[in-house]
Amino acid sequence: MSFTQFGQTIGLSAPLLRAAAELGWTIPTPVQVQAMPAILRGADVQAQAQTGSGKTGAFALPLLQALQGQAPNAPRRVRALVLVPTRELAAQVGEVLRSLAQHLPAPLKVAVVFGGVSINPQMMGLRGGADVVVATPGRLLDLVNHNALKLGAVNALVLDEADRLLDLGFADELAAVLALLPAQRQNLLFSATFDGAVQKLADGLLREPLKIAVESTPELDPIILQRAIAVDTAKRTQLLRHLFKTEGWTRVLVFVATKYAAEIVSEKLYKAGIFATPFHGELSQGARTQVIEEFKAERWEVVVTTDLASRGIDIAQLPVVVNYDLPRSATDYVHRIGRTGRAGQSGQAISFVTADAEAHFQLIEKRQNLSLPREQIVGFESTEVAAVVAAPVGLAGPGNGGIKGKRPSKKDKLRAAGKLPMPPIA
Ligand code: AMP
């Protein structure tokens, strides 16, 4: 069934369907098919779905449908609140809501607020209220404390990427926000994973929710080709350059373990004639936004990033993701590779597996029910053997971060804690 037919069947208005069509949504995604009718009925929903599944549309369209049907909101009070873990996701969700709302006859105001930038423009932006607020929890509380908005009229709450909200330590802020909301409201919780803490949060928040789980891991999705390449630690940058040239890549997101590595690897690629730039938490918010915009606009060929970019960022047609350093956990692996193969596009996720990281990668594979052949690329064949004293290989282990052949020294530990610069990277 086409998106328009489906939308008509469940009662979405023509202006919303027109906007969805303009975004190129021709067929509803599984999470949309399952969640939207329930949300429109006013039910609470618990959905296991990750970025890339179409989850934003799944909650945004029913929210907008409900808001447009309600009496004019004057003076405007916040009626729908979407809490997200990161600034990037806040901006992205706000953009989707605004695009979808653009043809509504009575305009709805969508405000997006997040920390790390001056609060004043956001306070000004909230003058006259807003129908929907998309926010990171800390900044939302700051704004409430500044009397810039009130949450007493919120009748729909969305927690987007709830696992990430908890991962990033927002549990206290979340509890403080929930205490400000009216008891009578609809609650929607989206999360890629439902480990203990997330499920506990869901159980405390949701009332008789409809529970939905769409494919929980992208590797189940045949459009992401996963590859593992065995390579020596010191050859990784050269291999990256080689693959970039020989495989005809145009846009690549490369994950590394540290900000330092992001700087060094991108610099080396840049010097080798590849337009590469780093992306990490030490860049200002303005610089981060600019990198993403320029990457989307194909100004950069390669962005080398820490796990900061592993969630939330939606870059359509991102064909290749490379794990230069392995992720620390199986969950991070899922989030990283989920940056490619989005919205029906095919993609490749390539992991560089050094001898020292082999055991760690095997654990990730085990968790993901995955078994990838180790490719050897001619000219870059792996020659190293794993250190005799293996680094800890628990899933929270160090990926490729350890120093080969040694127990971690005091310096290594300080490096790992970010207190000393990392040693040079090949
Ligand atoms: P999300 O999982 O919400 O981050 O969405 C990922 C991407 O899928 C975004 O670029 C959306 O615009 C796109 N998208 C959402 N729903 C659909 C759909 N039904 N058909 C095609 N693309 C979609």
Side-chain angles (χ1 to χ4, degrees), residues 3 24-25 27-29 32 50-57 314 342-343:
F3 197 97
W25 301 0
I27 296 174
T29 67
Q32 291 166 352
Q50 32 197 306
T51 313
S53 60
K55 65 182 168 65
T56 316
D314 178 23
R342 296 163 66 71

Side-chain angles (χ1 to χ4, degrees), residues 3 20 23-32 36 49-59 61 89 92-93 96 160-161 312-316 339 342-344:
F3 197 97
L23 287 175
W25 301 0
T26 48
I27 296 174
T29 67
V31 70
Q32 291 166 352
M36 289 205 290
Q50 32 197 306
T51 313
S53 60
K55 65 182 168 65
T56 316
F59 66 75
L61 282 166
L89 188 59
Q92 204 169 291
V93 170
V96 172
D160 194 8
E161 299 201 354
I313 288 179
D314 178 23
I315 297 167
R339 297 308 94 213
R342 296 163 66 71

Side-chain angles (χ1 to χ4, degrees), residues 203-275:
D203 292 344
L205 188 72
L206 305 171
R207 270 159 257 166
E208 296 175 24
L210 171 78
K211 294 189 180 174
I212 296 169
V214 294
E215 286 173 345
S216 59
T217 52
E219 83 278 356
L220 297 176
D221 187 339
I223 60 179
I224 298 182
L225 171 67
Q226 293 179 74
R227 298 169 61 188
I229 301 181
V231 59
D232 289 348
T233 309
K235 290 270 182 69
R236 288 173 297 168
T237 307
Q238 280 163 271
L239 175 60
L240 192 56
R241 278 170 52 191
H242 173 80
L243 292 173
F244 187 86
K245 301 249 153 79
T246 54
E247 306 232 343
W249 292 345
T250 49
R251 244 186 326 172
V252 188
L253 189 62
V254 176
F255 285 100
V256 292
T258 62
K259 294 165 194 164
Y260 178 76
E263 292 285 346
I264 296 294
V265 173
S266 58
E267 191 183 318
K268 292 199 168 179
L269 293 175
Y270 195 87
K271 282 187 178 153
I274 296 170
F275 284 104

Side-chain angles (χ1 to χ4, degrees), residues 2 66 98 104 176 217 225 238 298 340 367-368 400 415:
S2 76
R98 285 182 186 136
L104 293 177
T217 52
L225 171 67
Q238 280 163 271
E298 305 189 9
T340 184
R367 286 276 168 97
Q368 294 305 308
N400 296 19
R415 280 189 188 112

